[in-house]
Amino acid sequence: MSVPLLSLRHVETWYGRIQALRGISIDVLEGGITTVLGSNGAGKTTILNTVAGVLDDQPEKGTIELAGSKINGLETEKIVASGIGYVPEGRQVFAELTVMENLEVGAYLRRDRKMKDDLEWVLGTFPILRQRSSQLAGTLSGGEQQMLAIGRALMTRPRLLMMDEPSLGLSPLLVARMFEAIVQVNERGVTILLVEQNARKALEIASFGYVIEDGRVVASGTSAELQANDDVREFYLGLKNDQLMADAQRWKRKKRWR
Ligand code: ATP
């Protein structure tokens, strides 16, 4: 079997005396979209922050490998340079800079001369950013800001792009566009690790998923397997609740007939 692009083994992360990750093992296969689902506080963001090396002296235990090479313990800059892009939660763009300047900032780690090619590649992926290139980022809509945040992370031409809740706070129409954009990035050859609360949408585009609760993996499988899993259906897809609502409405109608 081929080596996964990203592999976490028994990863433990602590915030002081609070243990947030309790031995997480996850594989992200090259070329696909892998999703991490779970409720608030489950540890999803902590997984991404641990991989990106932004938490001091973490992970406390375990190993993180990119294409078979250990990356835990490296500085964030080295992790980015090794091929990991990260779009943290909350559309973090520089509001006072133009769209173009935001993209150039994203490329600051590149010391080679390919920046122009990368810029073309990003603008080709998100044509809206070309249209808005001289506009201040702070004046973009929420969905456009999120695309800019993704575009900025793509400027380092990562092999793996990690995204934390890219659909958060967007209208249903923009959520659909955002998921299309993620598929588009993946089709251009970037492997995706997607953290989402919107389990339904995430499982529609992902090939494999992990469910995290209280810092542990409690379920994993192909998207089809997770969509068929009773607990996932009840707690993350809300399907049982839909059934309950439907039952309650039928009961109310029946009551009126009597
Ligand atoms: P959300 O969807 O709400 O972001 P999450 O699954 O991403 O949730 P994390 O943010 O990774 O969860 O948090 C995991 C656990 O670690 C939670 O119990 C949280 O309270 C705790 N935690 C997160 N950040 C810190 C911090 N800086 N200091 C202390 N505890 C933290």
Side-chain angles (χ1 to χ4, degrees):
M1 228 182 96
S2 59
V3 179
L5 181 57
L6 180 74
S7 172
L8 281 71
R9 283 293 169 273
H10 314 295
V11 168
E12 296 188 16
T13 296
W14 295 70
Y15 294 107
R17 295 172 62 181
I18 300 168
Q19 186 172 18
L21 301 185
R22 299 166 186 272
I24 293 275
S25 295
I26 280 180
D27 282 338
V28 176
L29 297 190
E30 179 133 44
I33 300 178
T34 300
T35 187
V36 173
L37 310 172
S39 41
N40 281 336
K44 305 181 300 298
T45 300
T46 304
I47 293 175
L48 300 190
N49 282 340
T50 304
V51 173
V54 297
L55 303 173
D56 285 343
D57 301 324
Q58 297 299 323
E60 183 94 17
K61 287 192 180 158
T63 53
I64 305 174
E65 290 183 350
L66 184 73
S69 301
K70 188 174 157 206
I71 57 164
N72 48 308
L74 297 182
E75 291 159 15
T76 301
E77 280 201 8
K78 294 220 168 87
I79 292 173
V80 173
S82 73
I84 297 184
Y86 184 19
V87 186
E89 191 179 315
R91 300 172 213 155
Q92 297 178 11
V93 296
F94 297 106
E96 303 298 321
L97 299 184
T98 66
V99 167
M100 190 57 79
E101 286 164 347
N102 266 274
L103 292 175
E104 285 164 4
V105 170
Y108 84 104
L109 273 176
R110 296 201 67 117
R111 295 194 176 84
D112 52 35
R113 297 188 313 270
K114 289 211 203 95
M115 186 171 126
K116 242 182 141 195
D117 292 350
D118 294 338
L119 193 57
E120 274 312 306
W121 186 75
V122 169
L123 296 176
T125 310
F126 297 129
I128 186 74
L129 297 182
R130 193 190 298 275
Q131 285 170 33
R132 303 268 191 266
S133 60
S134 54
Q135 202 170 315
L136 290 182
T139 65
L140 298 177
S141 72
E144 288 165 355
Q145 286 189 19
Q146 185 63 273
M147 288 200 193
L148 177 56
I150 296 172
R152 208 178 60 199
L154 289 175
M155 285 297 290
T156 58
R157 285 283 188 123
R159 295 174 75 179
L160 171 73
L161 183 66
M162 306 194 296
M163 284 187 246
D164 196 356
E165 311 238 6
S167 73
L168 197 71
L170 299 181
S171 69
L173 181 68
L174 289 179
V175 167
R177 286 225 193 105
M178 182 51 55
F179 278 92
E180 276 167 25
I182 296 168
V183 170
Q184 219 173 315
V185 171
N186 177 242
E187 282 171 354
R188 292 190 148 220
V190 182
T191 303
I192 309 268
L193 177 57
L194 171 69
V195 157
E196 259 301 332
Q197 293 252 2
N198 191 335
R200 194 181 295 251
K201 282 279 186 198
L203 288 175
E204 275 174 21
I205 64 164
S207 43
F208 203 88
Y210 292 86
V211 180
I212 308 295
E213 278 313 325
D214 197 22
R216 290 190 177 87
V217 175
V218 293
S220 64
T222 63
S223 290
E225 284 165 354
L226 290 178
Q227 281 162 335
N229 175 309
D230 283 345
D231 290 338
V232 173
R233 288 169 74 82
E234 178 172 359
F235 297 118
Y236 302 103
L237 300 175
L239 289 178
K240 206 155 183 177
N241 292 345
D242 290 355
Q243 189 55 48
L244 281 178
M245 286 291 289
D247 288 348
Q249 274 161 8
R250 246 196 323 271
W251 179 78
K252 258 162 78 186
R253 275 204 303 275
K254 243 173 154 175
K255 223 172 118 192
R256 255 187 273 131
W257 294 337
R258 285 186 189 143

CSV table of all heavy atoms in Angstrom, one decimal, residues 15 18 20 39-47 89 165 197, ligand 1:
chain,number,residue,atom,x,y,z
A,15,TYR,N,-3.2,21.5,26.3
A,15,TYR,CA,-3.2,22.9,26.6
A,15,TYR,C,-2.9,23.1,28.1
A,15,TYR,O,-3.8,22.9,28.9
A,15,TYR,CB,-4.5,23.6,26.3
A,15,TYR,CG,-4.9,23.6,24.8
A,15,TYR,CD1,-5.9,22.7,24.3
A,15,TYR,CD2,-4.2,24.4,23.9
A,15,TYR,CE1,-6.2,22.7,23.0
A,15,TYR,CE2,-4.6,24.4,22.6
A,15,TYR,CZ,-5.6,23.6,22.1
A,15,TYR,OH,-5.9,23.6,20.8
A,18,ILE,N,-4.7,20.6,30.4
A,18,ILE,CA,-5.9,20.1,29.7
A,18,ILE,C,-5.5,19.3,28.5
A,18,ILE,O,-4.8,19.8,27.6
A,18,ILE,CB,-6.9,21.2,29.3
A,18,ILE,CG1,-7.3,22.0,30.5
A,18,ILE,CG2,-8.1,20.7,28.5
A,18,ILE,CD1,-8.0,23.3,30.1
A,20,ALA,N,-6.3,17.8,25.1
A,20,ALA,CA,-7.3,18.0,24.1
A,20,ALA,C,-7.3,16.9,23.1
A,20,ALA,O,-8.4,16.5,22.6
A,20,ALA,CB,-7.0,19.4,23.3
A,39,SER,N,-18.5,17.4,17.2
A,39,SER,CA,-19.2,18.6,17.7
A,39,SER,C,-18.2,19.6,18.3
A,39,SER,O,-17.0,19.4,18.3
A,39,SER,CB,-20.2,18.1,18.8
A,39,SER,OG,-19.6,17.1,19.6
A,40,ASN,N,-18.8,20.7,18.8
A,40,ASN,CA,-18.0,21.8,19.4
A,40,ASN,C,-17.1,21.3,20.5
A,40,ASN,O,-17.5,20.5,21.3
A,40,ASN,CB,-18.9,22.9,20.0
A,40,ASN,CG,-19.5,23.8,19.0
A,40,ASN,OD1,-18.9,23.9,17.9
A,40,ASN,ND2,-20.6,24.4,19.3
A,41,GLY,N,-15.8,21.7,20.4
A,41,GLY,CA,-14.9,21.3,21.5
A,41,GLY,C,-14.4,19.9,21.4
A,41,GLY,O,-13.7,19.4,22.3
A,42,ALA,N,-14.7,19.2,20.3
A,42,ALA,CA,-14.2,17.8,20.2
A,42,ALA,C,-12.7,17.6,20.0
A,42,ALA,O,-12.1,16.6,20.3
A,42,ALA,CB,-14.9,17.1,19.0
A,43,GLY,N,-12.1,18.7,19.4
A,43,GLY,CA,-10.7,18.7,19.2
A,43,GLY,C,-10.3,18.8,17.7
A,43,GLY,O,-9.1,18.7,17.4
A,44,LYS,N,-11.2,19.2,16.9
A,44,LYS,CA,-11.0,19.3,15.4
A,44,LYS,C,-9.9,20.3,15.1
A,44,LYS,O,-8.9,20.1,14.4
A,44,LYS,CB,-12.3,19.5,14.6
A,44,LYS,CG,-13.4,18.5,14.9
A,44,LYS,CD,-14.6,18.8,14.2
A,44,LYS,CE,-15.3,20.2,14.4
A,44,LYS,NZ,-15.7,20.4,15.8
A,45,THR,N,-10.1,21.5,15.6
A,45,THR,CA,-9.2,22.6,15.4
A,45,THR,C,-7.8,22.3,15.9
A,45,THR,O,-6.8,22.6,15.3
A,45,THR,CB,-9.7,23.9,16.0
A,45,THR,OG1,-11.0,24.2,15.4
A,45,THR,CG2,-8.8,25.1,15.7
A,46,THR,N,-7.8,21.6,17.1
A,46,THR,CA,-6.6,21.3,17.7
A,46,THR,C,-5.8,20.3,16.8
A,46,THR,O,-4.5,20.4,16.8
A,46,THR,CB,-6.8,20.7,19.1
A,46,THR,OG1,-7.6,21.6,19.9
A,46,THR,CG2,-5.5,20.3,19.8
A,47,ILE,N,-6.4,19.5,16.1
A,47,ILE,CA,-5.7,18.5,15.2
A,47,ILE,C,-5.0,19.4,14.1
A,47,ILE,O,-3.8,19.2,13.9
A,47,ILE,CB,-6.7,17.6,14.5
A,47,ILE,CG1,-7.3,16.6,15.5
A,47,ILE,CG2,-6.0,16.8,13.4
A,47,ILE,CD1,-8.4,15.7,15.0
A,89,GLU,N,-9.9,28.8,10.8
A,89,GLU,CA,-11.3,29.2,10.9
A,89,GLU,C,-11.4,30.8,10.8
A,89,GLU,O,-10.5,31.5,11.4
A,89,GLU,CB,-11.9,28.7,12.2
A,89,GLU,CG,-13.4,28.8,12.3
A,89,GLU,CD,-13.9,28.2,13.6
A,89,GLU,OE1,-13.4,27.2,14.0
A,89,GLU,OE2,-14.7,28.9,14.2
A,165,GLU,N,-13.5,24.6,8.9
A,165,GLU,CA,-14.9,25.2,8.8
A,165,GLU,C,-15.0,26.3,7.8
A,165,GLU,O,-15.5,27.4,8.1
A,165,GLU,CB,-15.3,25.7,10.2
A,165,GLU,CG,-15.1,24.7,11.3
A,165,GLU,CD,-16.3,24.3,12.0
A,165,GLU,OE1,-17.4,24.7,11.6
A,165,GLU,OE2,-16.2,23.5,13.0
A,197,GLN,N,-18.4,21.3,10.5
A,197,GLN,CA,-19.5,21.0,11.3
A,197,GLN,C,-20.7,20.6,10.4
A,197,GLN,O,-21.6,19.9,10.8
A,197,GLN,CB,-20.0,22.3,12.0
A,197,GLN,CG,-19.0,22.8,13.1
A,197,GLN,CD,-19.5,22.6,14.5
A,197,GLN,OE1,-20.6,22.0,14.7
A,197,GLN,NE2,-18.7,23.1,15.4
B,1,ATP,P1,-15.0,24.0,17.6
B,1,ATP,O1,-15.8,23.4,16.5
B,1,ATP,O2,-15.9,24.6,18.6
B,1,ATP,O3,-13.9,24.9,17.1
B,1,ATP,P2,-13.2,21.9,18.0
B,1,ATP,O4,-13.6,20.5,17.8
B,1,ATP,O5,-12.4,22.5,16.9
B,1,ATP,O6,-14.4,22.8,18.4
B,1,ATP,P3,-11.0,22.5,19.7
B,1,ATP,O7,-11.1,24.0,19.5
B,1,ATP,O8,-9.9,21.8,19.1
B,1,ATP,O9,-12.4,21.8,19.4
B,1,ATP,O10,-10.9,22.3,21.3
B,1,ATP,C1,-10.7,21.0,21.9
B,1,ATP,C2,-10.7,21.1,23.4
B,1,ATP,O11,-9.5,21.9,23.8
B,1,ATP,C3,-11.9,21.9,24.0
B,1,ATP,O12,-12.2,21.2,25.2
B,1,ATP,C4,-11.4,23.3,24.2
B,1,ATP,O13,-12.1,23.9,25.3
B,1,ATP,C5,-9.9,23.0,24.6
B,1,ATP,N1,-9.1,24.2,24.1
B,1,ATP,C6,-9.0,24.7,22.8
B,1,ATP,N2,-8.2,25.7,22.8
B,1,ATP,C7,-7.7,25.9,24.0
B,1,ATP,C8,-6.8,26.8,24.6
B,1,ATP,N3,-6.1,27.7,23.9
B,1,ATP,N4,-6.5,26.6,26.0
B,1,ATP,C9,-7.2,25.7,26.7
B,1,ATP,N5,-8.0,24.8,26.2
B,1,ATP,C10,-8.3,24.9,24.9
